Amino acid sequence: TTRLVGSEMCIRDSILADAGLSVVVSDTGYVKSLPPDCILEQSPAAGSHVKTGHVIYVIVNASRSPEISLPDIIDNSSLREAMAKLTAMGFKLTQPQFVPGEKDWVVGVVAGTRQLQAGDKVAVDTPITIQVGNGQLSADDSINFIDNAIDSEDFIEEGGDVDDFHEVTGEGEHAVSYTHLRAHETRS
């Protein structure tokens, strides 16, 4: 067979018609440096002897980069897990962007200025940035601390009542004694 790899689809028709062969596109691939419809692979290989009328199967270059759905990593994985998953899927990653949030937890993903969600289609050659928590709170976050613990010494000094009592558990020499303080409301 004639070598078709590297030729464009429009050229292959005339080459094969002259040889009495036909071509079927079996798949597409993507090589950024090659033009669309360029033949990437052929089967049988060039130089093989085939009969007239035989079908040559080819893989052609797609006109644009393939798109992959973004997996569910936002607020669902650590930075390490997200980077491993996205890299294995073929995404191109930039340096992570650290934003207020739980440390090393994925809080978002962006492609350029576009905020992405799980399931969004992204071209594999589009660089994406993982937004990850830096362990700091944002100005919008608020935390209310309520300390209900009562320090018995402070409570007594402020006029609270404390009852001492002993609770004995077990019998005989294995008895254990505990001292409990019970706080009452302060008296005015």
Side-chain angles (χ1 to χ4, degrees), residues 160-172:
D161 287 341
V162 176
D163 292 337
D164 286 335
F165 67 96
H166 297 278
E167 179 180 326
V168 179
T169 61
E171 294 184 31

Side-chain angles (χ1 to χ4, degrees), residues 5-188:
V5 175
S7 65
E8 293 184 32
M9 289 295 290
C10 58
I11 297 170
R12 63 106 170 113
D13 288 331
S14 62
I15 294 172
L16 294 175
D18 291 343
L21 302 172
S22 60
V23 173
V24 172
V25 175
S26 63
D27 202 357
T28 59
Y30 183 72
V31 178
K32 189 175 185 172
S33 61
L34 295 175
D37 293 332
C38 178
I39 297 174
L40 302 174
E41 293 180 31
Q42 74 181 63
S43 178
S48 301
H49 296 284
V50 294
K51 295 180 183 178
T52 302
H54 191 81
V55 176
I56 307 296
Y57 295 94
V58 296
I59 298 175
V60 297
N61 199 30
S63 59
R64 63 180 192 184
S65 174
E67 293 184 337
I68 302 175
S69 294
L70 185 70
D72 185 16
I73 59 168
I74 300 168
D75 201 26
N76 199 22
S77 62
S78 69
L79 174 61
R80 184 183 54 81
E81 293 167 332
M83 289 179 73
K85 183 177 277 190
L86 294 174
T87 302
M89 292 178 72
F91 286 103
K92 294 189 182 210
L93 302 178
T94 64
Q95 288 295 315
Q97 176 186 15
F98 290 93
V99 297
E102 186 177 342
K103 186 164 180 63
D104 294 330
W105 195 248
V106 176
V107 297
V109 178
V110 294
T113 58
R114 181 178 153 215
Q115 192 74 38
L116 301 174
Q117 300 298 320
D120 287 353
K121 297 277 190 184
V122 182
V124 294
D125 62 349
T126 300
I128 61 174
T129 303
I130 300 172
Q131 295 175 318
V132 62
N134 61 8
Q136 308 267 326
L137 295 176
S138 74
D140 299 335
D141 292 333
S142 64
I143 296 178
N144 293 325
F145 291 102
I146 299 175
D147 187 5
N148 287 334
I150 296 176
D151 184 352
S152 62
E153 290 180 20
D154 291 341
F155 189 71
I156 294 169
E157 288 176 10
E158 294 175 8
D161 287 341
V162 176
D163 292 337
D164 286 335
F165 67 96
H166 297 278
E167 179 180 326
V168 179
T169 61
E171 294 184 31
E173 63 186 66
H174 299 294
V176 179
S177 176
Y178 298 95
T179 301
H180 293 279
L181 299 176
R182 189 181 70 195
H184 295 284
E185 292 182 19
T186 56
R187 297 179 187 164
S188 330

